[in-house]
Amino acid sequence: MRNKLYALIFSCLILSCQSARLEKILIPRTINANEDFNSYVENKEHALAVVKYADESAQNTSKDVKETFAIKLGDTLLRIQPDQKDKNFFIDKFASADFVNTQKTAVLVEAADNSGLVGPIYLITLKNNKAEVVSLYRASTGANDSQFTKGIIRVGSSGYLVNNDFFVTNVNAKVYVIPRQQPQERIQGSFFLKSPDKTTFVFLVRGAFYQVNYPTGDVYTEPLPKTAPKDAVNVYKWVQENYAWVKNAKGTSFFKQIDQNKVIDMRQSY
């Protein structure tokens, strides 16, 4: 009986040690401008993996239960510790998780948040076969931040716009910092359309089109006349007969008002 008890205790200790080895804590760092995360791994088994999160809620078959995800490196669960000083709080459950390169060494994630608000957004990456995490957050004091903090928005096939502050390409995992209209606040407007070459984003802000060419960082603001419609749907119909993409001396396309008699084909703007 005593031997069986020792064997049980020993087994528990072994399992405990194994569990500790199958978990890695990552502390987020800030991102550098136009940083590239397109690393390569020779062994695909060492790449990141997105798996459905398994916990007690997985037993709930209700259609109202939203699917959540975990990120693993091999058999190791990756957990994010947002505050380096708080060792008791971790994030390892994500509302969304999308690979942003073909090597599967970079995954864009949004933390699951039961409050209904947009959760913190991170890029989990591999560098020299080691996992790290980058925070995609910039402080903002915008009066309407709650209205324009929409989390991760898919921008066609080219990548993801994050809270109007970052653009993440979804082939080579490059992250561009989007220049703000006002330095202290994220862009107070909604993504409206992009140029045919997919490099200039147009935001519908109050009274204007604020435009950003993300590879160069060039910006341009095109005021809207007072006669323009006030809602986004009707503005889109209206600009088809009033605006066109015009290249500047650098070859950068910006959306500008033109002769109202010229009909514009907007189908290439997606």
Side-chain angles (χ1 to χ4, degrees):
M1 182 68 181
R2 182 177 296 177
N3 290 336
K4 289 182 179 180
L5 180 60
Y6 288 155
L8 180 61
I9 294 174
F10 182 72
S11 297
C12 291
L13 289 173
I14 292 295
L15 290 173
S16 176
C17 291
Q18 288 178 340
S19 297
R21 287 196 296 268
L22 297 179
E23 177 182 295
K24 183 174 180 59
I25 307 301
L26 304 175
I27 297 176
R29 68 170 176 83
T30 56
I31 195 167
N32 300 313
N34 304 342
E35 197 166 352
D36 190 336
F37 297 95
N38 196 28
S39 61
Y40 175 80
V41 289
E42 293 183 1
N43 190 339
K44 291 185 178 181
E45 294 181 358
H46 296 158
L48 297 170
V50 176
V51 298
K52 291 182 181 180
Y53 196 92
D55 61 7
E56 62 278 2
S57 65
Q59 305 301 319
N60 192 330
T61 58
S62 171
K63 293 182 180 180
D64 295 331
V65 176
K66 293 184 178 180
E67 199 171 52
T68 54
F69 306 91
I71 308 301
K72 286 189 172 183
L73 175 57
D75 292 330
T76 302
L77 175 68
L78 301 181
R79 308 183 75 194
I80 298 173
Q81 180 185 325
D83 186 347
Q84 189 171 3
K85 297 179 181 179
D86 187 352
K87 297 183 179 180
N88 297 314
F89 177 66
F90 303 99
I91 297 173
D92 57 17
K93 184 186 295 186
F94 304 101
S96 66
D98 296 283
F99 285 110
V100 289
N101 68 339
T102 55
Q103 297 296 325
K104 294 189 175 182
T105 57
V107 58
L108 182 65
V109 298
E110 178 184 325
D113 192 325
N114 294 328
S115 69
L117 300 175
V118 174
I121 296 169
Y122 302 95
L123 191 66
I124 300 175
T125 70
L126 288 182
K127 189 174 184 180
N128 299 323
N129 295 323
K130 293 184 179 179
E132 68 171 8
V133 62
V134 174
S135 173
L136 296 184
Y137 171 77
R138 293 162 69 190
S140 174
T141 58
N144 297 308
D145 277 352
S146 59
Q147 182 181 349
F148 300 115
T149 303
K150 297 182 179 180
I152 301 170
I153 298 176
R154 182 71 181 261
V155 183
S157 60
S158 53
Y160 302 88
L161 183 65
V162 177
N163 288 332
N164 286 359
D165 266 334
F166 302 93
F167 179 65
V168 185
T169 63
N170 72 343
V171 175
N172 59 359
K174 192 164 185 178
V175 180
Y176 294 88
V177 179
I178 301 295
R180 290 175 165 181
Q181 196 171 17
Q182 301 295 333
Q184 72 277 11
E185 61 183 34
R186 66 177 50 96
I187 298 169
Q188 302 289 286
S190 300
F191 175 80
F192 187 69
L193 53 80
K194 64 178 183 293
S195 59
D197 64 5
K198 304 178 182 180
T199 62
T200 297
F201 294 162
V202 179
F203 297 88
L204 180 60
V205 299
R206 187 174 182 179
F209 287 133
Y210 175 66
Q211 306 176 49
V212 175
N213 184 262
Y214 67 82
T216 64
D218 292 342
V219 300
Y220 173 76
T221 300
E222 176 77 4
L224 282 169
K226 294 181 179 180
T227 55
K230 303 304 179 185
D231 60 286
V233 174
N234 287 320
V235 166
Y236 181 81
K237 295 178 181 178
W238 178 76
V239 298
Q240 293 185 51
E241 298 181 353
N242 292 275
Y243 287 76
W245 292 102
V246 179
K247 290 186 177 181
N248 62 14
K250 296 180 181 179
T252 303
S253 294
F254 287 116
F255 205 47
K256 298 184 178 182
Q257 191 171 16
I258 59 162
D259 185 347
Q260 293 186 6
N261 294 320
K262 184 176 180 180
V263 178
I264 307 304
D265 184 359
M266 296 290 291
R267 288 175 296 179
Q268 296 183 7
S269 297
Y270 290 98

Short mmCIF file of all heavy atoms in Angstrom, two decimals, residues 2-4 7-8 11 15 29 35 43 60 71 88 112 124 134 156 181 198-199 224 237 247 258:
data_model
loop_
_atom_site.label_atom_id
_atom_site.label_comp_id
_atom_site.label_asym_id
_atom_site.label_seq_id
_atom_site.Cartn_x
_atom_site.Cartn_y
_atom_site.Cartn_z
N ARG A 2 1.92 1.20 0.89
CA ARG A 2 2.82 2.35 0.97
C ARG A 2 3.54 2.56 -0.35
O ARG A 2 3.72 3.69 -0.81
CB ARG A 2 3.82 2.12 2.09
CG ARG A 2 4.78 3.30 2.28
CD ARG A 2 5.72 3.08 3.44
NE ARG A 2 4.97 2.99 4.69
CZ ARG A 2 5.56 2.74 5.86
NH1 ARG A 2 6.86 2.53 5.93
NH2 ARG A 2 4.83 2.69 6.96
N ASN A 3 3.95 1.47 -1.01
CA ASN A 3 4.63 1.58 -2.30
C ASN A 3 3.72 2.21 -3.36
O ASN A 3 4.15 3.00 -4.18
CB ASN A 3 5.12 0.21 -2.77
CG ASN A 3 6.27 -0.30 -1.92
OD1 ASN A 3 6.98 0.50 -1.29
ND2 ASN A 3 6.47 -1.60 -1.89
N LYS A 4 2.45 1.81 -3.33
CA LYS A 4 1.50 2.38 -4.28
C LYS A 4 1.32 3.87 -4.06
O LYS A 4 1.20 4.65 -5.01
CB LYS A 4 0.14 1.67 -4.16
CG LYS A 4 0.16 0.23 -4.68
CD LYS A 4 -1.23 -0.38 -4.58
CE LYS A 4 -1.23 -1.79 -5.13
NZ LYS A 4 -2.58 -2.41 -5.03
N ALA A 7 4.31 5.64 -5.38
CA ALA A 7 4.26 5.64 -6.85
C ALA A 7 3.30 6.71 -7.36
O ALA A 7 3.56 7.39 -8.35
CB ALA A 7 3.83 4.26 -7.35
N LEU A 8 2.15 6.86 -6.66
CA LEU A 8 1.18 7.87 -7.04
C LEU A 8 1.75 9.27 -6.88
O LEU A 8 1.58 10.14 -7.75
CB LEU A 8 -0.09 7.71 -6.20
CG LEU A 8 -1.21 8.70 -6.47
CD1 LEU A 8 -1.69 8.58 -7.92
CD2 LEU A 8 -2.38 8.47 -5.51
N SER A 11 4.27 9.93 -9.57
CA SER A 11 3.62 10.17 -10.85
C SER A 11 3.09 11.60 -10.93
O SER A 11 3.20 12.27 -11.97
CB SER A 11 2.47 9.18 -11.08
OG SER A 11 2.96 7.86 -11.13
N LEU A 15 4.14 14.49 -13.66
CA LEU A 15 3.15 15.19 -14.48
C LEU A 15 3.23 16.69 -14.25
O LEU A 15 3.09 17.49 -15.18
CB LEU A 15 1.75 14.68 -14.17
CG LEU A 15 1.43 13.26 -14.64
CD1 LEU A 15 0.07 12.83 -14.13
CD2 LEU A 15 1.47 13.20 -16.17
N ARG A 29 6.80 43.31 -26.07
CA ARG A 29 7.66 44.47 -26.29
C ARG A 29 6.96 45.41 -27.26
O ARG A 29 6.00 45.03 -27.94
CB ARG A 29 9.03 44.05 -26.83
CG ARG A 29 9.00 43.47 -28.25
CD ARG A 29 10.42 43.32 -28.78
NE ARG A 29 10.50 42.69 -30.09
CZ ARG A 29 10.34 43.32 -31.24
NH1 ARG A 29 10.04 44.61 -31.25
NH2 ARG A 29 10.46 42.68 -32.39
N GLU A 35 8.49 47.10 -39.08
CA GLU A 35 9.26 45.92 -38.71
C GLU A 35 8.81 44.68 -39.50
O GLU A 35 7.63 44.50 -39.78
CB GLU A 35 9.11 45.66 -37.20
CG GLU A 35 10.16 44.74 -36.64
CD GLU A 35 10.21 44.78 -35.12
OE1 GLU A 35 9.52 45.63 -34.52
OE2 GLU A 35 10.93 43.95 -34.55
N ASN A 43 12.25 23.19 -39.96
CA ASN A 43 11.36 22.11 -39.54
C ASN A 43 9.98 22.68 -39.24
O ASN A 43 9.82 23.48 -38.32
CB ASN A 43 11.93 21.41 -38.31
CG ASN A 43 11.19 20.14 -37.96
OD1 ASN A 43 10.04 19.95 -38.36
ND2 ASN A 43 11.83 19.27 -37.20
N ASN A 60 -19.84 23.25 -23.54
CA ASN A 60 -21.09 23.95 -23.81
C ASN A 60 -21.34 23.96 -25.32
O ASN A 60 -20.55 24.52 -26.08
CB ASN A 60 -20.98 25.39 -23.28
CG ASN A 60 -22.33 26.08 -23.27
OD1 ASN A 60 -23.20 25.80 -24.09
ND2 ASN A 60 -22.49 27.01 -22.34
N ILE A 71 -2.37 29.50 -28.82
CA ILE A 71 -1.21 29.43 -29.70
C ILE A 71 -0.17 28.51 -29.06
O ILE A 71 0.16 28.66 -27.88
CB ILE A 71 -0.59 30.82 -29.94
CG1 ILE A 71 -1.67 31.82 -30.38
CG2 ILE A 71 0.52 30.73 -30.97
CD1 ILE A 71 -2.39 31.44 -31.65
N ASN A 88 0.75 37.31 -12.03
CA ASN A 88 -0.44 36.48 -11.79
C ASN A 88 -1.50 36.62 -12.88
O ASN A 88 -2.54 35.97 -12.82
CB ASN A 88 -1.06 36.83 -10.44
CG ASN A 88 -0.12 36.51 -9.28
OD1 ASN A 88 0.49 35.45 -9.24
ND2 ASN A 88 0.01 37.45 -8.35
N ALA A 112 -9.28 37.41 -26.12
CA ALA A 112 -10.72 37.28 -25.87
C ALA A 112 -11.09 38.19 -24.71
O ALA A 112 -10.41 38.24 -23.69
CB ALA A 112 -11.06 35.83 -25.55
N ILE A 124 2.36 37.41 -32.31
CA ILE A 124 3.24 36.38 -31.75
C ILE A 124 4.11 35.85 -32.89
O ILE A 124 3.60 35.45 -33.94
CB ILE A 124 2.42 35.24 -31.12
CG1 ILE A 124 1.54 35.80 -29.98
CG2 ILE A 124 3.33 34.14 -30.60
CD1 ILE A 124 0.61 34.77 -29.37
N VAL A 134 4.86 40.89 -29.69
CA VAL A 134 4.92 42.33 -29.88
C VAL A 134 3.53 42.91 -29.66
O VAL A 134 2.53 42.37 -30.17
CB VAL A 134 5.42 42.66 -31.31
CG1 VAL A 134 5.35 44.16 -31.55
CG2 VAL A 134 6.84 42.16 -31.50
N GLY A 156 -9.19 43.60 -47.70
CA GLY A 156 -9.05 42.80 -48.90
C GLY A 156 -8.11 41.63 -48.69
O GLY A 156 -8.09 41.00 -47.62
N GLN A 181 -3.47 61.50 -37.99
CA GLN A 181 -3.83 62.86 -38.37
C GLN A 181 -3.42 63.83 -37.26
O GLN A 181 -2.91 64.92 -37.54
CB GLN A 181 -5.34 62.94 -38.62
CG GLN A 181 -5.77 64.17 -39.37
CD GLN A 181 -7.23 64.11 -39.78
OE1 GLN A 181 -8.01 63.31 -39.26
NE2 GLN A 181 -7.63 64.94 -40.74
N LYS A 198 -3.20 49.26 -53.88
CA LYS A 198 -3.39 48.76 -52.52
C LYS A 198 -2.45 49.37 -51.49
O LYS A 198 -2.34 48.86 -50.37
CB LYS A 198 -3.24 47.23 -52.48
CG LYS A 198 -4.19 46.51 -53.43
CD LYS A 198 -3.96 45.00 -53.39
CE LYS A 198 -4.88 44.30 -54.38
NZ LYS A 198 -4.69 42.82 -54.39
N THR A 199 -1.82 50.50 -51.81
CA THR A 199 -0.86 51.07 -50.86
C THR A 199 -1.34 52.35 -50.18
O THR A 199 -0.74 52.78 -49.19
CB THR A 199 0.48 51.39 -51.57
OG1 THR A 199 0.25 52.35 -52.60
CG2 THR A 199 1.09 50.13 -52.16
N LEU A 224 -13.87 67.55 -47.90
CA LEU A 224 -15.14 67.25 -48.55
C LEU A 224 -15.97 68.54 -48.64
O LEU A 224 -16.06 69.28 -47.65
CB LEU A 224 -15.91 66.20 -47.76
CG LEU A 224 -15.45 64.75 -47.90
CD1 LEU A 224 -16.13 63.87 -46.85
CD2 LEU A 224 -15.78 64.23 -49.29
N LYS A 237 -21.33 56.33 -53.03
CA LYS A 237 -22.02 56.49 -54.33
C LYS A 237 -21.67 57.84 -54.96
O LYS A 237 -21.46 57.94 -56.17
CB LYS A 237 -23.53 56.37 -54.13
CG LYS A 237 -23.98 55.00 -53.66
CD LYS A 237 -25.50 54.99 -53.43
CE LYS A 237 -25.96 53.63 -52.95
NZ LYS A 237 -27.42 53.61 -52.67
N LYS A 247 -1.89 60.44 -59.27
CA LYS A 247 -0.52 60.22 -58.78
C LYS A 247 0.23 61.54 -58.67
O LYS A 247 0.13 62.40 -59.55
CB LYS A 247 0.23 59.28 -59.72
CG LYS A 247 -0.27 57.84 -59.67
CD LYS A 247 0.61 56.92 -60.52
CE LYS A 247 0.12 55.47 -60.40
NZ LYS A 247 0.97 54.55 -61.19
N ILE A 258 -12.42 65.68 -58.92
CA ILE A 258 -12.17 65.98 -60.33
C ILE A 258 -13.41 66.60 -60.97
O ILE A 258 -14.39 66.90 -60.29
CB ILE A 258 -11.79 64.71 -61.11
CG1 ILE A 258 -12.94 63.68 -61.00
CG2 ILE A 258 -10.50 64.12 -60.62
CD1 ILE A 258 -12.88 62.61 -62.05
#
